[in-house]
Amino acid sequence: MKKYMDEDFLLTTKVAKELYHSHAAKMPIIDYHCHLQPREIAEDKRWSDIAEVWLGGDHYKWRQMRSNGVDEKFITGDSSWREKFMQYAQTMERLVKNPLFDWSHLELKRYFGINERLCSASAERIWKKCNAKLKTKGFSAQGLMKKSNVKVVCTTDDPDDSLEWHKKIAAEPFGVKVLPAWRPDRILKEAVAKKKDPMEHLAERHKYFEKNGCVLSDYGIVDIPEKGLYADLLFECLKMDAKAGWTTQLHFNCIRNLNTKMFKKLGPDTGYDAINDSRNAMGLAKLLDRLEKADALPRVILYSLNANDFETLTSIMGCFQKGPDRGKIQLGSAWWFLDHKDGMSRQIDALGALGCLGNFVGMLTDSRSFLSYTRHEYFRRILCRKLGEEVERGEIPCDLKWLGGIVEDISYNNAKSYFGV
């Protein structure tokens, strides 16, 4: 019987082990989409309690604690961090097969040197050990980023943000680039509601972001309309992205804030969102075609929260690929509810079957936590496992130098080249 989470965790073949240990593991990280707070990075924040850095703002964990019957006071309420940690430890006893089970144990292992299972019996011991470790050198926001071999991070920022913390970080570099990413959802939503044109203001702020190092935009979309005010505003925004040489990220097929009572109590991003039906193909196709006809199509990464879209998106992408960019239009990594073993595998399979897997820009954290960089390791292990198993079956040539180069590219090199960072 194989030990859980040993050095060959998820690696099922000799080739997979070679690809991961000799190629994927050594590559740095470009985390091009996350929700870290720039102020916390600039101030090099430290935490006194593992629960604060682990559970504070993490709606992935909040959802499952609710699923385990935990009272809200131990989730988002005013209970102590210790009490919240103990409740999460109890929840972990029931999370077999949930990605949080693997992520949590990877984080405990990589950052705190803890190899035992988190449960009620071990919770007090693990809590104390983690908190002692947090007091030592390197366990700060910047320290954790450097410890994780992160080279570039792109945060998620409102166009009206002053970017003061990004400026402070740039003025006092610590070895990791921290770049803003343009997220105009609020302004676009207000413009549609009020039927007002915000483009003059957005153009001014777009230039401000460009001046301060921005290389990516990001749009959270429920549906991509074929026509109307929102379609026109999105078109104009992507034209600006293309002119600036940015990469556009389109996130869609998420139903947000389903629980009205809890939304009124806690606000957005608290664990009450869900996967939407698949219905964006024509709107997306018309948007990309309209941009291409105007010679204004930027590099675009497409993320759907519905895995049933993977093949559809990859086929649409192929209609708009164009040099000199390799993989100008990308199928984004398995996002949010899909960033588990099966979701990542389905995304890799769809891109491999209908696109050019070797040009994929790889994983991201989409996280608010400084301990989430192990998600890159998780993805890389799954990628190496899939390639290794297909080599084992004789479906891919056993050329480890060639495959190792592809793994290194997907892990880091493609993103570095694609985003120009």
Side-chain angles (χ1 to χ4, degrees), residues 81-93:
W81 287 121
R82 181 187 177 280
E83 290 174 313
K84 291 177 179 179
F85 183 85
M86 298 305 162
Q87 292 292 329
Y88 183 61
Q90 290 181 22
T91 300
M92 280 283 284
E93 295 186 21

Side-chain angles (χ1 to χ4, degrees), residues 169-186:
I169 295 167
E172 302 172 10
F174 66 99
V176 180
K177 286 184 182 179
V178 180
L179 306 177
W182 164 273
R183 179 80 175 237
D185 295 1
R186 175 188 61 83

Side-chain angles (χ1 to χ4, degrees), residues 150-218:
V150 178
K151 298 301 181 185
V152 182
V153 159
C154 297
T155 57
T156 303
D157 309 279
D158 187 276
D160 288 330
D161 193 297
S162 69
L163 304 183
E164 61 176 304
W165 300 109
H166 291 89
K167 293 177 182 179
K168 181 175 174 58
I169 295 167
E172 302 172 10
F174 66 99
V176 180
K177 286 184 182 179
V178 180
L179 306 177
W182 164 273
R183 179 80 175 237
D185 295 1
R186 175 188 61 83
I187 294 176
L188 295 180
K189 184 178 180 181
E190 290 173 357
V192 171
K194 297 177 181 178
K195 294 183 172 58
K196 291 185 177 181
D197 185 352
M199 290 311 303
E200 183 176 349
H201 174 64
L202 284 176
E204 178 186 339
R205 299 304 300 171
H206 202 279
K207 290 178 181 177
Y208 181 77
F209 269 60
E210 184 180 1
K211 180 181 176 181
N212 284 280
C214 183
V215 295
L216 289 105
S217 64
D218 182 22

Side-chain angles (χ1 to χ4, degrees), residues 4 54 61 85-86 88-94 101 104-105 108 114-127 130:
Y4 174 67
W54 227 23
K61 294 186 177 76
F85 183 85
M86 298 305 162
Y88 183 61
Q90 290 181 22
T91 300
M92 280 283 284
E93 295 186 21
R94 315 300 296 176
F101 189 87
S104 298
H105 285 110
L108 289 174
I114 294 171
N115 294 299
E116 63 179 312
R117 181 169 65 88
L118 177 60
C119 59
S120 296
S122 65
E124 183 75 23
R125 181 169 57 255
I126 290 175
W127 180 71
C130 288

Side-chain angles (χ1 to χ4, degrees), residues 310 314 317 329-331 346-361:
F310 286 162
T314 312
M317 282 162 42
I329 316 297
Q330 292 267 336
L331 178 65
R346 286 186 66 178
Q347 189 269 354
I348 291 168
D349 284 340
L351 185 53
L354 298 175
C356 194
L357 179 61
N359 291 333
F360 179 37
V361 293

Side-chain angles (χ1 to χ4, degrees), residues 16 42 54 63 106 120 142 198 251 282 310 313 336 348 390:
W54 227 23
R63 283 175 66 97
L106 265 179
S120 296
Q142 295 180 13
H251 288 85
M282 189 56 72
F310 286 162
L313 295 181
W336 199 346
I348 291 168
E390 294 189 28

